[in-house]
Amino acid sequence: MSKISEIFGSNVFSDAVMKERLPKATYKALKKTIDQGLPLTSEVAEVVAGAMKDWAIEKGATHFTHWFQPLTGITAEKHDSFISPTGDGKVIMEFSGKELIKGEPDASSFPSGGLRATFEARGYTAWDCTSPAFIKDGSLCIPTAFCSYTGEALDKKTPLLRSMEALSKQAIRVLRALGNTTSNRVITTVGPEQEYFIIDKKYYDQRKDLIFTGRTLFGAKPPKGQELEDHYFGSLKQRISDFMKEVDEELWKLGITVKTKHNEVAPAQHELAPIFSTTNIATDHNQLTMEILKKVALKHGLVCLLHEKPFAGVNGSGKHNNWSMATDDGMNLLEPGSTPHDNEQFLVFLCAVIKAVDEYADLLRVSAANPGNDHRLGANEAPPAIISIFLGDQLQDILEQLENGSATSSKGTSELKIGVTTLPALPKDATDRNRTSPFAFTGNKFEFRMVPSSASIAAANFTLNTIVAETLSQIADRLEKATDVDAEVQQILKEIVKNHKRIIFNGNGYSDEWVEEAQRRGLPNIKTTVESIKAIINEKNLAVMEKHGVLSRVEMQSRYEISLEHYIKTINIEALTMVDMAKREILPAVIKFATQLATSINTINATGVAADVSAQAELLTEVSTLTASLKKNISALEEAIEKAASLHGDSYEQAAAYRFDVFEKMAVLRTDADKLETLVDKDIWPLPTYADMLFNV
Ligand code: ADP
Ligand code: MG
């Protein structure tokens, strides 16, 4: 491997490349747009396009594409080559400012939730110059936002960019009111930790469920699961290590700062984390990371599963969305410092987050909802579907002081004594970790742990940005009017703690007691994706998105429809796959096995030897009973699918039918099949087992 410093960012049209290749005036103008959000002129775009093209061609690129994130949840690209005929049978390589700024993909095949009438199929992509262009597979990729002919957002990036502006605006108002005169922008920073599974491709290829749905719809528990906890942080197997090395290298080339990698709790599960960056860049990078993980895995004869719950009974995957706010002059607004009790700025921003999370818990919940995550939230390895905040002892103590008057002390940090003199004394963190909280304060940032592993992090972040922008705007309104700002700050903090302390929970979020306690506190516990989707069109939520210009009412309505549609389609595919596998793979195998048993009984009996065939007979009875039940439950599922599919009048009603009828029947069908798997001859069983997949890389 070449030196990291040489390959890092080598496929990125980065700031350094721009500085080197653009005329000074153009570079300055572009930087103004990037850093201060000033509009971009067509002259500047023209020059930038030329430089980008030359750079890309030198790097071997032949095509360019606007790279965007439609509401399908994955990225989209349409490649055009740079070639332009010259009329004499030759070509030149061209790329104009116009092509850089604007693309016109046919939008009719992307989800729009009724936003775009079919006769207005036109969609536009617009260059997001705040996220650098890069080269991938011989194409220059230009990060863009995607909107309809009438300007409505059809993607995940547009609301994200809007929310970043909204938060910056309100945060600066608060900072000014607190006496800050130097900061000009506030950016939100994100570092997403990505969990995933790796299995051998030869097993994947034999499982239609993995191929069509990304998760196993059948599969008995293996004799060994994760109970020994011997996988977590375990040393990497050679094949995995080789795969990870290549992933690192590919990501570094794209300027993605992957830093940490390790085995996760479940067998075959791993995690990767980059160093945090600006939210929209972190979002783009996370999309690329998921893509690279999949691609590189294939090169190694492996398959990367990003689904939230590929294997029942084994931990699923999430994304820990580490989030904070920072000023353009380098201050982390969630940095408590060594004496947080007298850090007014920190306490204001902390309390703004607490209030936002409490008031908009339902919106935050839906921002982390997808069909896969329903298997995780509330199961034993992930936070429950109840949103709560972990603060830890020190901050908890300060909030209590604030509520009772003013905060005068911070519980100190100390040194950790390991008891061996040759080991260094370690500074002890002010708070312990809490892995069970969905929204945990972790030193100088919040970690939103509910986010689904396969989803874009855009929704979680534009939601967070917007709701915090809202509480900051309320705080700014008061501070701007106050004659005694310090006294008003104390008053605001006190009120927030009093009114919103119910959202703070420092205990074990996975316990049953917490579920009951949360109910007493009146915190919502929205268990399913379908139910959570209602929050999108709740008046309070429509109002906050509209007020901050993040999503209009029409755009929210369209997202409501798309989310339901996506749920319906996902469960429909899962259910159909299940029926297909049960009928054409499992049932025939089971019948074959039953026949084998019957043949054995007959053959032995025919010999006239008085041999005991009770084992075969018992097994045959057991298998036949389960087979009859399996067959019955296949028919029940088929009926449920048909019924749900016929309900197209109201999407909510239809989604509910898929969740509360189809989905339930899938679980019933699975039980029979999984029991049969433990009885049937392994040479006859048609599917690779959990043991094969989880322990054979
Ligand atoms: P932990 O291991 O406690 O979860 P790390 O320090 O390893 O925490 O960080 C986890 C992720 O959080 C990394 O991606 C890291 O870059 C990110 N992170 C650290 N500081 C911030 C911050 N101020 N804003 C956003 N993300 C951050
Ligand atoms: Mg973490």
Side-chain angles (χ1 to χ4, degrees), residues 79 97 283 564 681:
H79 304 257
T283 305
L564 289 172
D681 180 347

Side-chain angles (χ1 to χ4, degrees), residues 103 130-131 137 144 148 172 220 251-252 260 295 315 371 477 583 620:
T130 61
S131 181
D137 289 338
T144 53
S148 74
I172 286 293
L251 292 177
W252 286 333
T260 316
K295 263 196 196 148
N315 274 7
D477 288 345
K583 275 176 141 170
L620 181 56

Side-chain angles (χ1 to χ4, degrees), residues 67 147 256 316 343 431 531 542 585 597 605 613:
W67 185 77
C147 65
I256 300 174
N343 188 342
T431 54
E531 293 158 294
L542 291 171
E585 297 184 64
L597 290 169
N605 285 342
V613 290

Side-chain angles (χ1 to χ4, degrees), residues 189-193 260 273-276 322-324 332 433 442 444-445 447:
T189 51
V190 167
E193 302 165 50
T260 316
I275 295 173
F276 69 95
N322 295 273
W323 176 94
S324 190
N332 178 353
R433 280 165 181 269
T442 50
N444 57 6
K445 61 188 186 288
E447 186 167 337

Side-chain angles (χ1 to χ4, degrees), residues 395-411:
L395 295 181
Q396 179 68 33
D397 174 59
I398 291 171
L399 292 197
E400 279 163 18
Q401 295 181 49
L402 284 172
E403 194 185 1
N404 299 324
S406 61
T408 54
S409 67
S410 299
K411 279 191 182 174

Side-chain angles (χ1 to χ4, degrees), residues 32-241:
K32 272 204 170 136
T33 303
I34 295 171
D35 297 337
Q36 298 165 33
L38 297 183
L40 190 88
T41 66
S42 53
E43 290 77 26
V44 170
E46 204 57 49
V47 180
V48 176
M52 252 188 204
K53 178 203 69 184
D54 292 343
W55 169 81
I57 291 171
E58 280 169 37
K59 293 263 167 197
T62 51
H63 288 66
F64 69 93
T65 176
H66 277 199
W67 185 77
F68 56 105
Q69 300 171 28
L71 295 164
T72 50
I74 49 173
T75 52
E77 43 196 70
K78 175 185 144 220
H79 304 257
D80 283 303
S81 74
F82 291 120
I83 61 168
S84 171
T86 48
D88 55 358
K90 295 201 166 146
V91 292
I92 49 164
M93 302 297 253
E94 271 188 347
F95 183 51
S96 69
K98 251 200 198 131
E99 287 170 308
L100 167 64
I101 291 182
K102 188 173 133 196
E104 292 189 33
D106 179 349
S108 58
S109 295
F110 293 107
S112 79
L115 262 185
R116 183 212 50 236
T118 28
F119 55 88
E120 285 168 356
R122 219 186 260 274
Y124 294 112
T125 48
W127 181 31
D128 168 20
C129 65
T130 61
S131 181
F134 54 90
I135 293 171
K136 184 168 66 78
D137 289 338
S139 279
L140 169 68
C141 300
I142 299 145
T144 53
F146 179 44
C147 65
S148 74
Y149 183 62
T150 41
E152 278 99 9
L154 291 176
D155 68 349
K156 310 218 166 192
K157 175 160 240 179
T158 307
L160 185 65
L161 293 170
R162 292 173 180 164
S163 76
M164 290 168 67
E165 279 189 22
L167 185 128
S168 178
K169 188 169 151 200
Q170 303 305 333
I172 286 293
R173 282 180 66 205
V174 170
L175 286 173
R176 287 282 179 276
L178 293 176
N180 173 317
T181 53
T182 52
S183 306
N184 290 310
R185 273 168 89 83
V186 168
I187 53 160
T188 50
T189 51
V190 167
E193 302 165 50
Q194 174 76 48
E195 292 178 334
Y196 60 92
F197 280 84
I198 292 287
I199 63 168
D200 197 307
K201 186 167 184 299
K202 71 171 182 265
Y203 299 126
Y204 175 90
D205 288 339
Q206 295 173 56
R207 299 214 42 144
K208 280 189 196 152
D209 46 6
L210 287 178
I211 294 171
F212 293 140
T213 75
R215 73 179 182 103
T216 53
L217 299 169
F218 299 101
K221 269 206 178 90
K224 178 179 190 278
Q226 63 193 45
E227 57 276 74
L228 295 179
E229 302 189 324
D230 51 357
H231 188 68
Y232 192 55
F233 282 21
S235 70
L236 303 173
K237 287 187 184 153
Q238 194 57 47
R239 247 181 120 187
I240 294 293
S241 171

